[in-house]
Every structure is written in C-alpha cells, then in structure tokens.
Amino acid sequence: MTKKPHLSSRLAFPLTSSCLSSLRVKRAQTTIYLKQSSQKMLDVGKWPIFALRSLEELKLIRQACVFGSAGNEVLYATENDEMVSFKYYVLLFFLPFVLEGDVYTWGHNAYSQLGNGTTNHGLIPCQVSTNLVNKKVIEVACGSHHSMVLTSDGEVYTWGYNNSGQVGSGSTVNQPIPRRVTSCLQNKIAVNIACGQMCSMAVVENGEVYVWGYNGNGQLGLGNSGNQPTPCRIAALQGIRVQQVTCGYAHTLVLTDEGQMYAWGANSYGQLGTGNRSNQSYPAPVTVDKDRVIEIAACHSAHTSAAKTQGGQVYMWGQCRGQSITLPHLTHFACTDDVFACFAIPAVTWRLLSVEPDDHLTVAQSLKKEFDNPDTADLRFQVDGKYIHVHKVLLKIRCRCEHFRSVLNINNDEIIEISEFSYPVYRAFLEYLYTDSISLSPEDAIGLLDLATFYRESRLKKLCQQTIKQGICEENAIALLSAAVKFEAKDLEEFCFRFCINHLTVVTQTSGFAEMDHDLLKNFISKASRVGAFKN
C-alpha cells in the first residue's frame, strides 16, 4: 500500500483506465459525481476488495473506485485527503484523475496512454499539459489503453493506443499526446463522452451521437462491423436526442431526452436487454415497464448493464454472476452501483463511490433528520388536514420571503393552516428549507414552482425547473411550456420550447396543443418560425 501526497478536497475521480495489459477498468463522469454527492451514500462493504481493509481504515474512506481484471484493485481518498491505492496490498499504476480541471496520470505507458509524449512508465502523478493548457477538463473516459477527455468548451481530446482507430485521428498510429478530435466534431460542442475497450463515443449538444474505433461486434451502431478511424454520426438515431452514452466491454447504451434507452453491440450474455443473445449493429430500443429511465450504467470491463427509473426502481441485465439475463430484471437495489458490486464479473465500480461515515452527522444532515420530527418541533403546519412539524426559528433563518416571515411573526399559535397549496407541495417546500433539495414528482414540481414564484425563492425555482425537465414528454410538453410562461421560468420555458420543436410533429397532434392558449399559441408559432421549424 502506498499513500499519495495531500490532494485538494475538490479532487474528482473521473474514470480509471487499464493499469497493466490484462487489466480492464472503468471510470465515472464528473457530472455523475456531482449527482452522487446528493444521493444516499454507498456502503463499501458490498465490494469484496474492502474485506482486506480494517474497520478503522474503512471508516476513513470518503471516495473510492474499484477496478481490475478481477475487481481486486482499488483507489480511494480518505477524509484526510490522502490517496491510497492497492492490489491485495500491492502497488498499482496508471490511473488518470482530474484535479481542479487538470488531468494527471501515472503508471504503465507502453502505448503512450499517459499522454506525456513518451512510452516511459510514470512512477508519480504528472499533469497532462500538452494541448490542454488553459483547458478545463470536465470529463475523462478511458478504454483498455486509450484515454479521452471533454473540456468545458465542448472539445474532445484523445491519446494512447490506436490499433483500431479509437483515438479518432484517421490512422492506426498510437498517439503519444492529447490531440483534439476534429473531422465531424470540428464545429460540434460535445456534452458527454464514453469509451469501450477499443472504441470511443461522444454526444453533442443537439443530441447526435458520434462514434469511432473498433467495431467488430457492431458496438459503433453503424449497421456494420468495420472499424471507424474518424468520428461518424449514428444515422439510425436520426430524430432522437441522446443525453447520455455509456459503454460496456463491447456494447453501448444511450439514454434519450424522453427517458428511453437504446442498445447495440455484443450480446452474448443478453447485455443489450433485447430478449435474445444476438449481436446488434443498429440501435435497438430497451424497455423497462413503461417507466421513464433517468440513469444508465455499464462498465467496459464487464458485460453487465443497469438502469434506474424515475420511480427509483433499479434494473439489471446481461452477465450477472454467471447467468445470462436477456431482459431488464427488476432488483431490490436502491442504486445502480449495487448491481456492479453484487452481480458484475468482475465486481468493479462503473463510477465513483462516495462513502459517508456512520458515526458522524454534519449540521446539514442533522437538520434533515429533524424535519417533521414531532418530538423537537415547536410549530405545525396543517395542509389538507395533515400536519407537518417544523422549527420556527429555522424557518425564519432560511426563508427570506417577507410574506412567509410575516405569517410566522403574527401567528403565535402552534398550528398554522395553509389552504393555497397542496400537502405534497407545501411539505416539499418546508423540507427544502431543511435540506436544500427537493424530492417529488415532476407533476407536483409544477405546484412547487408556483409556490417558489410566490415566495420569491429563486434557488428553489431553479430546482423545480430541473425536476420538471425530467418528466417532459410529447403529451405534456405544451402544458409544461404554459406553466413555464405563467411562472416566468425562463430556463424551463426555453427547454420546453426546444423540446416541442425537436418533437414538433407529435406535439402538434396532442390535445394540449389543440387546447393551447391563443396568445401562447401565437407566440409559439412566431418563435418557431424564427428558428426555421416549418422549413421543409
């Protein structure tokens, strides 16, 4: 075991890559890490590798990434900001990470996968600076021996092993330093990247997916099995706006803006979720009981796939501890990470794990625990005949709305009745004052958006808009657009408008469009015309 020097508390583990020629590992994306910090923290005890650490050591772990050809290697950060890496107590190498937007690598370098212009192995973390100076890296993805990064301005850079064109340079010569991927991506702004073993993917801001590299199993989704040395758009996804792409060992999953999944590539274990074990060279739809999917997961060292729905259900399929599951199978897990801990072979993480110590509660966690606690509360709100228990002093501190504070000041009773909003909406508002987050359906979020507008809670208004976006579909797009206009939610209004334009044919056939307010319809048609929506 070795410990690295002190690192910033803002350290992000984007993805890990292969360390020796036999290793296959997976990284997670920075945007995903940010989400992870707001979800329930994970139990590292599910991962066999941690059985090698003492209880005292486990208590210090803050973030962790498990990888290796047998799930037998780990890199983790402690609450003291120390970096620890081990392979059954043996030092391991080649793990790129991002620190304040800069990329650092070290370890095995036979294929120039460290990006330092040489094939010399790196014994200590060194910054990858060539062509990345003044560039802020926000995502890192790694294949078996090649790496790809996404910058804040939407540019994609690659380096390393290139036997199948996976660096996208147009040749099969290894690339020793980061170079921008151009060709079809030259004037595109990328928003998401992923790597399979020897292939690369990028999603651009208009929802198109570009692919390149090895294609022996059809993992590029181009309808053939020929390798692709430069980025090529997946034509079969025409008209479908993709938000996220993720890669397994030799298969690919994408998630659309409507919460739909598509899969293609190798399928010998049923990892595509199509009900059979035949490879698929074109994108094929994957369904999970008609529920909207909000997260997809795959790891390029495994043939396992997973997804989480808006309702919180987690599904898995593919190679699951020796079994081939050809259709999404509902699990009892609360997060997709548990699928890979318990069923993937090897048991590796597909993204960063954030671990919360059991014996300590932060101030924020303590406040969250006390929400709606009748034992400590000194005030009750009665909404729709139901009580919500709160603490008056905390509400006065947290909410700056004069109207709300006047209600607290002039009312000396222990019960305040609320009739303007529904129980789920008002409960979500009060809980937000304790937690800084909201947890309710997109439908109820519209009511909360009304409340946030009334109380002039700008941050709450933004959270409502984010939640509402997750529930948009052709049928309710006009209703959400109307709500956005009504409550002056400009960001949501623009999002809904763009969604309507991208799905114009179906949206204009809905009852919502037929019943659209005259002024709103007039403005919609005018704006749509200006962006060329009605051109042939």
Side-chain angles (χ1 to χ4, degrees):
M1 181 181 73
T2 184
K3 292 188 177 182
K4 304 297 181 185
H6 176 82
L7 297 171
S8 165
S9 60
R10 292 183 59 189
L11 172 67
F13 299 79
L15 308 197
T16 49
S17 180
S18 61
C19 54
L20 299 176
S21 60
S22 63
L23 298 186
R24 301 292 183 269
V25 290
K26 176 70 176 173
R27 308 74 38 208
Q29 297 155 356
T30 304
T31 53
I32 291 177
Y33 297 161
L34 298 177
K35 280 186 177 179
Q36 186 66 26
S37 64
S38 64
Q39 297 173 350
K40 181 180 179 181
M41 295 302 170
L42 302 170
D43 177 11
V44 295
K46 290 183 175 69
W47 303 87
I49 183 68
F50 285 105
L52 297 173
R53 316 314 291 167
S54 68
L55 183 61
E56 290 71 22
E57 288 176 302
L58 294 181
K59 288 181 179 180
L60 297 176
I61 297 176
R62 176 169 54 85
Q63 296 173 311
C65 186
V66 180
F67 55 99
S69 59
N72 60 340
E73 307 189 31
V74 66
L75 174 70
Y76 65 82
T78 72
E79 61 184 28
N80 300 320
D81 283 332
E82 290 180 318
M83 185 77 78
V84 181
S85 59
F86 70 91
K87 174 185 177 182
Y88 290 159
Y89 293 100
V90 178
L91 179 65
L92 62 89
F93 288 115
F94 185 30
L95 296 168
F97 63 84
V98 173
L99 180 63
E100 301 290 349
D102 296 323
V103 180
Y104 291 77
T105 60
W106 65 94
H108 190 261
N109 195 33
Y111 304 100
S112 299
Q113 57 263 55
L114 297 188
N116 59 16
T118 74
T119 55
N120 299 325
H121 303 321
L123 301 181
I124 60 174
C126 292
Q127 182 178 351
V128 181
S129 57
T130 305
N131 294 331
L132 293 180
V133 175
N134 299 323
K135 297 289 183 180
K136 181 178 181 181
V137 172
I138 58 174
E139 286 188 30
V140 175
C142 299
S144 60
H145 297 93
H146 78 286
S147 298
M148 177 164 58
V149 298
L150 173 64
T151 67
S152 59
D153 51 6
E155 296 177 347
V156 176
Y157 291 79
T158 58
W159 65 89
Y161 198 37
N162 193 36
N163 67 326
S164 302
Q166 55 264 49
V167 300
S169 62
S171 74
T172 55
V173 177
N174 292 350
Q175 191 158 286
I177 59 174
R179 292 193 184 278
R180 186 182 175 189
V181 181
T182 53
S183 185
C184 292
L185 292 181
Q186 178 66 51
N187 299 313
K188 304 287 185 179
I189 296 177
V191 296
N192 182 218
I193 57 174
C195 288
Q197 281 286 298
M198 294 186 293
C199 64
S200 305
M201 316 270 171
V203 180
V204 298
E205 62 177 352
N206 67 355
E208 294 177 341
V209 181
Y210 288 81
V211 297
W212 60 98
Y214 183 71
N215 194 32
N217 302 102
Q219 55 262 59
L220 298 188
L222 300 176
N224 57 56
S225 59
N227 295 348
Q228 179 66 37
T230 57
C232 180
R233 181 176 64 87
I234 300 181
L237 292 174
Q238 178 70 35
I240 297 173
R241 293 179 64 86
V242 171
Q243 288 186 330
Q244 181 192 350
V245 61
T246 187
C247 298
Y249 187 92
H251 75 286
T252 306
L253 301 175
V254 296
L255 177 65
T256 75
D257 65 344
E258 293 186 283
Q260 302 296 318
M261 283 189 298
Y262 290 84
W264 60 88
N267 198 29
S268 55
Y269 298 95
Q271 57 264 46
L272 300 187
T274 54
N276 58 57
R277 293 197 291 177
S278 300
N279 290 2
Q280 179 72 39
S281 61
Y282 285 107
V286 184
T287 57
V288 285
D289 294 338
K290 299 181 180 180
D291 200 356
R292 184 187 186 97
V293 176
I294 61 173
E295 180 179 274
I296 54 175
C299 174
H300 87 178
S301 63
H303 307 285
T304 306
S305 303
K308 185 175 183 179
T309 69
Q310 189 168 281
Q313 294 179 318
V314 174
Y315 291 81
M316 68 179 186
W317 61 98
Q319 187 183 35
C320 299
R321 286 295 169 192
Q323 300 297 313
S324 295
I325 301 177
T326 61
L327 287 171
H329 174 76
L330 180 62
T331 72
H332 65 279
F333 297 131
C335 62
T336 54
D337 304 275
D338 291 349
V339 171
F340 291 87
C342 300
F343 284 93
I345 299 175
V348 294
T349 54
W350 74 275
R351 63 175 174 187
L352 180 71
L353 301 180
S354 295
V355 185
E356 178 66 21
D358 292 331
D359 58 349
H360 173 71
L361 289 177
T362 64
V363 173
Q365 291 167 336
S366 298
L367 291 178
K368 181 178 180 179
K369 185 178 179 181
E370 292 306 310
F371 172 67
D372 203 16
N373 183 351
D375 295 332
T376 60
D378 58 1
L379 177 65
R380 288 182 293 173
F381 280 89
Q382 186 177 8
V383 189
D384 296 339
K386 301 177 182 178
Y387 290 110
I388 308 170
H389 301 84
V390 294
H391 306 79
K392 182 180 288 189
V393 64
L394 186 144
L395 300 188
K396 287 183 177 181
I397 294 172
R398 291 284 288 129
C399 186
R400 294 298 178 181
C401 172
E402 291 300 327
H403 173 76
F404 182 77
R405 298 184 72 167
S406 66
V407 171
L408 297 176
N409 291 330
I410 65 176
N411 198 321
N412 293 321
D413 298 332
E414 293 183 357
I415 300 176
I416 298 178
E417 293 186 19
I418 299 295
S419 58
E420 298 90 343
F421 303 99
S422 67
Y423 173 80
V425 167
Y426 213 78
R427 177 182 172 83
F429 164 63
L430 294 174
E431 187 173 12
Y432 161 76
L433 297 179
Y434 280 74
T435 64
D436 263 339
S437 62
I438 60 175
S439 178
L440 76 173
S441 68
E443 293 76 17
D444 286 330
I446 296 176
L448 188 57
L449 178 62
D450 183 9
L451 182 150
T453 303
F454 181 72
Y455 283 164
R456 298 181 180 179
E457 284 283 343
S458 58
R459 185 177 183 280
L460 177 58
K461 195 171 181 178
K462 290 180 181 179
L463 292 177
C464 291
Q465 293 180 68
Q466 293 173 7
T467 300
I468 293 171
K469 288 178 183 179
Q470 296 177 358
I472 195 170
C473 63
E474 289 101 340
E475 194 62 37
N476 66 11
I478 294 298
L480 297 184
L481 176 63
S482 300
V485 173
K486 178 181 178 181
F487 301 126
E488 299 180 348
K490 297 300 182 181
D491 180 57
L492 179 61
E493 178 183 346
E494 182 62 23
F495 177 86
C496 293
F497 173 76
R498 288 293 175 185
F499 184 91
C500 291
I501 295 301
N502 293 325
H503 304 272
L504 190 60
T505 301
V506 179
V507 169
T508 54
Q509 296 174 359
T510 64
S511 58
F513 188 85
E515 299 166 2
M516 199 173 181
D517 175 77
H518 176 74
D519 290 336
L520 181 60
L521 176 60
K522 182 179 178 180
N523 291 334
F524 177 83
I525 294 176
S526 175
K527 188 175 180 180
S529 298
R530 292 196 298 272
V531 298
F534 303 119
K535 293 181 181 179
N536 291 329

